[in-house]
Amino acid sequence: MLVQDRKIIKPSKTQSTKPQEHFNFSTWVSSNFPKIIVISLLIVTVAVVFFVRNDTVSILYSGKSRSKSLKPTQFPKISFSSIQPNSDKSSPFATFRSERWIVVSVSNYPFDSLRSLVKIKGWQVLAVGNSRTPANWELKGAIFLSLEQQAKLEFRILEYLPYDSYVRKSVGYLFAIQHGAKIIFDADDRGEVIDWEVGKRFDLDLFGVDAMQERILQYNRENPNRTVVNPYIHFGQRSVWPRGLPLENVGEIVHEEYYNEVFGGMQFIQQGISNGLPDVDSVFYLTRKLGSEAFDMSFDEHAMKVALPQGVMVPLNSFNTLFHSNAFWGLMLPVSVSSMASDVLRGYWAQRLLWEVGGFVVVYPPTIYRKDEIEAYPFSEEKDLHVNVGRLIKYLVSWRSGKHRLFEKIMELSYSMAKEGFWTEKDVKFTGAWLQDLLAVGYQQPRLMALELDRPRASSGDADRKEFIPRKLPSVHLAVEESGAVNYEIGNLIRWRKSFSNVVLILFVSGPVERTALEWRLLYGRIFKTVVILSAKSDVDLAVEEAQPDQVYKYLPKIFERFSSAEGFLFLQDNTILNYWNLMQGDKTKLWITDKVMHTLNIIFSILPSTV
């Protein structure tokens, strides 16, 4: 019987027939005095025990709460040698096998681009649903995994996945591996593969003689401080940057002086470029948009593919990236960060671990076309990405591990990243579940290879240097079409910056800082080594400092002191546009020189009252 169905039985009232007697309190007390004493002592004892126990419990609970709040991230204990196999026994495709898979996440009915994907010969499309996917979703030629079907697969990772996110693609990756995958194309259901052939530019065969003897251009390793590059420059778009590139690197627009070469066969992760709407962040999308006009950019399809050496990284995404089986472990999409940061963090995490197995990333000319029908995500969705990605890259490049098996290194790095605050303990547990599921579906972890990071960097001789000058394709620059003249000015800017870049620009923003600060920082950040933005209200995320408009002069000495090695300072308001190209003929003595301005301001401040 349910609790709410139980009936309360009231005790019956009985009528007393005994005649009532007059009650004498003093007589009753005197006759029962010993009993009263005993009962009183019992009551006091119980009360004391009750209050003491409550205080103890509250102290213990407080201690537990405190220890819980300070509880360190726990390292999961996993025995990778005792994982039981997990075969598909529930889906209608239990016996189906394919070596080449295209995995997409679907939240809407099939787009025309997805209908075209299923027609590509030799590839099996796998559509992974979420809570927003229509219940009657269906597409001939595609395998569809609904939430119900995913639950029946009994993967460990299901416990950690959100219901309404594309990161549920992780289930699809495991399903594909379980069903014989050797190559997985991590794709977007809105992207059209150029010429409907995945292998036209991607390298599908890595083990043939020709593939292993092929020489691939590689970014040079001369600069030990360079840890990340913008691949769009190599493919003709120096004014565009990919989502996941640290904003402090956006101003680096100079093409590679020279390249090295590397033998093919180990490019286990292959990143494609997208024409139309490339993978850009909300900062680019919101500051470069020409009203309602859609982006339709082109990259150089004739540019040679380019590899990344150990120690240098590149942003990777989850809608135009090809993974070979030696890198399947790197498909895991983190769950404790925002969806717009998940694939980017995955990409940097995977690149670092890829070096441990001797692999590297290669970026390819345009492989898909995406129409600009996508609303930009708000900056807040990418906030963690912009704040942490630069620090993450530096951390990953410096990270070392003494473990002797790849999965042990993966767990160690995931744990270290949680301790550093790049993701949470949830992703540490998720990583453990992911690796166990990989083994359960039959995946074998690759062997480790010697790390080249710590080897001395040999200088490249002239014979080892390969030159490639990227084409300059039409682009957009702060909502202005780039022409040959603009590219010519950029060339002048590059030459100017070499001898005149150590000037600090101080910019005061009088209106809302969200968009203005980003626009001007992106524009002037390519010209000046340092840009300091002031406003009436500070914004830590956008690096905007507080200064009242009528008392800015009081804040300037702090800036001068902070950048004491600067050659000079320029002050602008956001309603002024600086013709920076004229600075090449400018007189540096007319700038604010640190020591002179500091001396002058000290005199002024001693004369003027504080209320001025």
Side-chain angles (χ1 to χ4, degrees):
M1 180 183 292
L2 297 176
V3 174
Q4 56 266 36
D5 292 335
R6 292 177 181 171
K7 294 182 180 180
I8 300 175
I9 302 175
K10 298 181 180 180
S12 58
K13 296 181 180 180
T14 56
Q15 298 291 330
S16 176
T17 57
K18 186 178 180 179
Q20 294 183 357
E21 297 179 358
H22 181 71
F23 178 76
N24 190 314
F25 181 79
S26 59
T27 304
W28 181 84
V29 170
S30 60
S31 60
N32 294 283
F33 184 78
K35 296 180 180 179
I36 293 174
I37 294 297
V38 173
I39 292 174
S40 300
L41 289 174
L42 286 174
I43 292 174
V44 171
T45 303
V46 170
V48 169
V49 170
F50 177 81
F51 285 115
V52 169
R53 180 181 180 277
N54 271 2
D55 288 343
T56 305
V57 169
S58 63
I59 291 171
L60 290 174
Y61 181 79
S62 175
K64 287 180 180 178
S65 299
R66 229 177 267 118
S67 63
K68 186 177 180 180
S69 63
L70 299 176
K71 184 180 178 181
T73 301
Q74 298 296 313
F75 192 92
K77 296 180 179 179
I78 303 172
S79 176
F80 290 119
S81 60
S82 59
I83 305 300
Q84 296 299 314
N86 178 3
S87 58
D88 183 4
K89 301 174 183 178
S90 60
S91 78
F93 310 98
T95 59
F96 180 81
R97 292 291 182 274
S98 177
E99 292 189 352
R100 298 177 178 180
W101 291 76
I102 300 175
V103 179
V104 298
S105 172
V106 292
S107 299
N108 302 289
Y109 288 108
F111 297 104
D112 290 340
S113 54
L114 184 56
R115 298 181 188 279
S116 299
L117 278 180
V118 299
K119 297 178 182 179
I120 299 178
K121 294 182 180 180
W123 292 82
Q124 176 59 52
V125 173
L126 175 62
V128 182
N130 54 61
S131 60
R132 294 174 292 168
T133 310
N136 59 343
W137 196 98
E138 185 179 4
L139 178 61
K140 185 178 180 180
I143 295 177
F144 173 58
L145 292 180
S146 64
L147 287 176
E148 293 74 18
Q149 290 173 315
Q150 295 173 37
K152 294 177 182 178
L153 296 174
E154 298 182 350
F155 293 144
R156 295 172 177 81
I157 63 171
L158 290 167
E159 178 184 349
Y160 304 97
L161 293 172
Y163 287 99
D164 61 346
S165 173
Y166 80 92
V167 300
R168 297 194 72 85
K169 291 175 79 174
S170 294
V171 177
Y173 307 144
L174 289 173
F175 184 90
I177 297 169
Q178 188 180 51
H179 290 78
K182 303 297 182 185
I183 301 175
I184 293 178
F185 180 35
D186 200 8
D188 180 19
D189 63 339
R190 296 161 294 190
E192 300 176 1
V193 175
I194 295 176
D195 296 333
W196 314 118
E197 187 180 348
V198 178
K200 182 175 181 179
R201 294 200 173 94
F202 285 127
D203 294 318
L204 305 184
D205 178 19
L206 297 184
F207 302 106
V209 176
D210 293 339
M212 299 181 72
Q213 291 182 349
E214 180 188 16
R215 291 179 176 269
I216 303 174
L217 280 188
Q218 184 185 58
Y219 285 99
N220 73 69
R221 301 175 59 196
E222 289 295 322
N223 182 2
N225 296 319
R226 182 172 69 168
T227 56
V228 65
V229 295
N230 178 0
Y232 291 174
I233 298 174
H234 178 85
F235 295 97
Q237 290 287 2
R238 63 175 62 187
S239 291
V240 189
W241 65 90
R243 178 173 55 93
L245 185 75
L247 290 182
E248 58 263 31
N249 296 99
V250 167
E252 299 171 2
I253 58 176
V254 184
H255 67 78
E256 201 77 351
E257 184 178 349
Y258 68 91
Y259 295 81
N260 299 125
E261 285 185 331
V262 63
F263 283 108
M266 305 291 278
Q267 58 269 39
F268 300 140
I269 299 180
Q270 303 174 13
Q271 177 64 63
I273 299 291
S274 172
N275 277 340
L277 176 64
D279 184 24
V280 294
D281 58 27
S282 60
V283 176
F284 181 92
Y285 197 89
L286 294 172
T287 59
R288 303 301 179 90
K289 194 77 170 175
L290 293 171
S292 59
E293 184 178 345
F295 281 126
D296 191 8
M297 300 181 202
S298 295
F299 291 83
D300 186 1
E301 62 180 8
H302 301 292
M304 291 180 282
K305 60 192 176 188
V306 59
L308 281 298
Q310 291 190 13
V312 181
M313 296 186 173
V314 69
L316 303 179
N317 59 50
S318 60
F319 64 79
N320 188 20
T321 311
L322 188 138
F323 288 75
H324 281 266
S325 59
N326 278 28
F328 279 173
W329 46 265
L331 282 161
M332 181 197 81
L333 288 165
V335 295
S336 68
V337 297
S338 69
S339 60
M340 294 307 296
S342 180
D343 57 345
V344 173
L345 264 64
R346 174 189 77 171
Y348 287 125
W349 168 84
Q351 284 177 83
R352 175 59 189 86
L353 292 163
L354 192 63
W355 303 339
E356 301 288 343
V357 296
F360 53 85
V361 171
V362 169
V363 185
Y364 292 76
T367 52
I368 67 170
Y369 179 87
R370 285 202 313 165
K371 291 183 179 179
D372 183 9
E373 299 175 340
I374 307 164
E375 292 185 4
Y377 287 87
F379 181 78
S380 58
E381 287 290 319
E382 299 176 350
K383 176 177 153 184
D384 294 336
L385 178 65
H386 294 306
V387 170
N388 290 324
V389 70
R391 185 171 67 91
L392 171 64
I393 294 170
K394 294 177 182 177
Y395 177 77
L396 291 173
V397 171
S398 64
W399 178 80
R400 299 292 184 273
S401 171
K403 300 297 183 180
H404 301 293
R405 293 180 66 83
L406 177 62
F407 281 14
E408 293 175 353
K409 287 179 179 286
I410 293 175
M411 286 304 305
E412 186 178 36
L413 178 56
S414 297
Y415 174 74
S416 298
M417 287 176 59
K419 289 180 65 178
E420 292 293 325
F422 297 115
W423 56 34
T424 71
E425 186 177 5
K426 184 177 181 181
D427 269 315
V428 181
K429 296 178 180 178
F430 182 63
T431 303
W434 164 258
L435 296 178
Q436 292 178 81
D437 282 335
L438 277 176
L439 294 174
V441 298
Y443 183 73
Q444 295 182 350
Q445 54 181 312
R447 291 181 301 174
L448 297 176
M449 297 186 67
L451 197 65
E452 298 179 6
L453 270 179
D454 298 324
R455 296 179 183 175
R457 298 193 178 193
S459 57
S460 301
D462 292 339
D464 300 324
R465 298 185 177 190
K466 302 299 176 182
E467 186 176 282
F468 173 78
I469 301 177
R471 295 174 59 193
K472 298 175 181 178
L473 300 178
S475 183
V476 290
H477 184 71
L478 284 179
V480 177
E481 282 289 328
E482 266 194 13
S483 62
V486 175
N487 282 322
Y488 174 76
E489 292 299 340
I490 289 178
N492 284 338
L493 169 60
I494 293 170
R495 288 189 293 272
W496 170 81
R497 197 174 177 185
K498 290 182 179 179
S499 60
F500 200 25
S501 63
N502 195 19
V503 173
V504 177
L505 175 68
I506 305 170
L507 177 67
F508 185 84
V509 178
S510 56
V513 298
E514 287 78 8
R515 179 160 181 168
T516 306
L518 289 171
E519 287 181 348
W520 292 120
R521 189 182 295 280
L522 291 173
L523 173 60
Y524 292 123
R526 299 184 173 205
I527 306 160
F528 298 93
K529 185 177 181 180
T530 304
V531 178
V532 178
I533 299 182
L534 307 177
S535 181
K537 186 177 180 181
S538 64
D539 190 313
V540 177
D541 297 327
L542 297 177
V544 176
E545 304 174 30
E546 182 178 358
Q548 297 306 314
D550 57 343
Q551 297 184 3
V552 172
Y553 67 90
K554 291 185 176 181
Y555 198 79
L556 295 180
K558 298 179 181 178
I559 300 176
F560 298 153
E561 185 177 356
R562 192 192 318 167
F563 304 101
S564 58
S565 61
E567 295 180 0
F569 299 81
L570 282 178
F571 181 86
L572 291 179
Q573 285 194 287
D574 58 348
N575 59 359
T576 304
I577 297 178
L578 175 67
N579 294 332
Y580 54 83
W581 47 87
N582 289 330
L583 287 175
M584 295 183 70
Q585 290 80 38
D587 185 356
K588 289 175 64 175
T589 62
K590 302 299 182 184
L591 299 174
W592 288 354
I593 306 303
T594 311
D595 54 350
K596 295 181 181 179
V597 174
M598 285 293 293
H599 178 71
T600 306
L601 286 177
N602 286 333
I603 297 175
I604 294 175
F605 292 157
S606 64
I607 298 174
L608 296 178
S610 59
T611 56
V612 175

